Amino acid sequence: MRARCSIVERDDKNNIVFLKDLANQYGGMTITNDAEAVVNYYRSIYGNRVRVVYLDTDAEWWELVWQADGMWDSDFSVSFKPWHGMVWDKLSRTEA
């Protein structure tokens, strides 16, 4: 992982890790530009079901959503979803 970030909070109950992108402060690659490696890194620590939410360099919260693309664990893609908080997340899941 080449992105510079720090863990802001770890929600064990919901298996979410909250990160802050530090590229503006220290230079280097952003979480956005290194998304696949960031997801891989935190999946290796917290398991495949971990959710990764981060504060980007524009002070906006995003979730990195990974999806398996094949039968191998290394075949996956990452998409970005705006993060509006836990209440919003739980309500949107019940409406779907």
Side-chain angles (χ1 to χ4, degrees):
M1 180 176 86
R2 297 184 311 205
R4 301 285 305 256
C5 62
S6 65
I7 296 178
V8 175
E9 185 178 339
R10 170 79 172 118
D11 181 347
D12 289 322
K13 179 181 175 190
N14 295 295
N15 198 20
I16 302 172
V17 62
F18 293 91
L19 307 174
K20 180 178 180 183
D21 196 317
L22 300 175
N24 280 351
Q25 289 90 346
Y26 301 106
M29 190 173 280
T30 64
I31 292 174
T32 303
N33 290 325
D34 199 23
E36 289 85 3
V38 171
V39 168
N40 242 0
Y41 178 77
Y42 287 101
R43 284 177 61 207
S44 73
I45 296 172
Y46 300 114
N48 287 339
R49 294 187 177 265
V50 69
R51 296 173 68 188
V52 179
V53 175
Y54 73 102
L55 182 64
D56 72 6
T57 55
D58 294 324
E60 295 178 355
W61 287 97
W62 293 89
E63 180 175 5
L64 298 177
V65 181
W66 72 275
Q67 178 177 325
D69 289 337
M71 53 188 263
W72 306 111
D73 193 37
S74 60
D75 296 336
F76 70 95
S77 61
V78 174
S79 60
F80 301 87
K81 180 175 126 183
W83 177 259
H84 302 289
M86 285 302 298
V87 173
W88 179 273
D89 184 60
K90 289 182 183 197
L91 288 172
S92 65
R93 289 176 186 271
T94 59
E95 292 175 7

